[in-house]
Amino acid sequence: MDNRRSNKIIELTFQFSLDIIQIVEKLESNRKYVIANQLLKSGTSIGANVRESQNAESKSDFIHKLKIALKETDETLYWLELVNAAYKNIDSTKLIEDLKIIDKVLSKIVSTIKNKQKESLSN
């Protein structure tokens, strides 16, 4: 089953991973292997954790997977900002913008679920 098309955050993070792969290929062609490897790991981990959250065993597990994805967005932001600062011939500005959108969506999902859990406990 192809979940990417039926779920916006899965779709966003899958496309982001594809874009990360492209920028990593540029870094590797410039022999910037260490940064390329770090960026590939953190950047594709976001989507992997979001995808994994779809098979969570509980709401707590779901939130946990999304929180890991949020941590990966922060790390990926660091590497993308480093790329922008260090390599003028590689522009990661669009990826940074896309990542900020992903971060907002993930944060909203987590906060919404947490609020619903609090409401159900108070009822």
Side-chain angles (χ1 to χ4, degrees):
M1 184 164 107
D2 189 2
N3 287 337
R4 286 182 287 130
R5 308 222 190 294
S6 61
N7 187 314
K8 188 66 173 173
I9 191 61
I10 290 176
E11 185 180 313
L12 286 171
T13 56
F14 187 82
Q15 183 58 53
F16 183 79
S17 292
L18 292 174
D19 295 341
I20 284 291
I21 291 168
Q22 289 179 355
I23 200 166
V24 164
E25 287 174 352
K26 288 179 188 175
L27 287 164
E28 288 176 342
S29 71
N30 287 307
R31 301 174 50 157
K32 308 303 179 196
Y33 302 114
V34 174
I35 291 175
N37 187 42
Q38 292 291 336
L39 185 56
L40 182 64
K41 285 185 203 179
S42 66
T44 57
S45 179
I46 299 164
N49 280 291
V50 168
R51 180 70 68 93
E52 190 175 343
S53 75
Q54 302 304 296
N55 298 307
E57 295 176 9
S58 65
K59 285 184 182 179
S60 295
D61 188 35
F62 180 76
I63 291 170
H64 177 71
K65 301 286 190 245
L66 293 184
K67 283 185 172 183
I68 293 170
L70 280 165
K71 287 181 180 183
E72 295 295 334
T73 62
D74 192 44
E75 180 180 344
T76 302
L77 180 59
Y78 171 79
W79 292 114
L80 289 171
E81 288 173 342
L82 194 60
V83 166
N84 260 2
Y87 310 113
K88 299 303 178 198
N89 62 328
I90 300 176
D91 184 13
S92 63
T93 306
K94 183 188 179 311
L95 282 173
I96 290 170
E97 292 169 9
D98 293 344
L99 187 59
K100 288 179 180 179
I101 292 168
I102 289 168
D103 185 78
K104 285 180 184 177
V105 172
L106 288 172
S107 295
K108 182 65 176 173
I109 292 168
V110 169
S111 69
T112 299
I113 291 172
K114 282 184 168 185
N115 287 338
K116 285 182 180 179
Q117 283 181 326
K118 286 179 186 175
E119 287 173 12
S120 69
L121 290 175
S122 65
N123 289 335

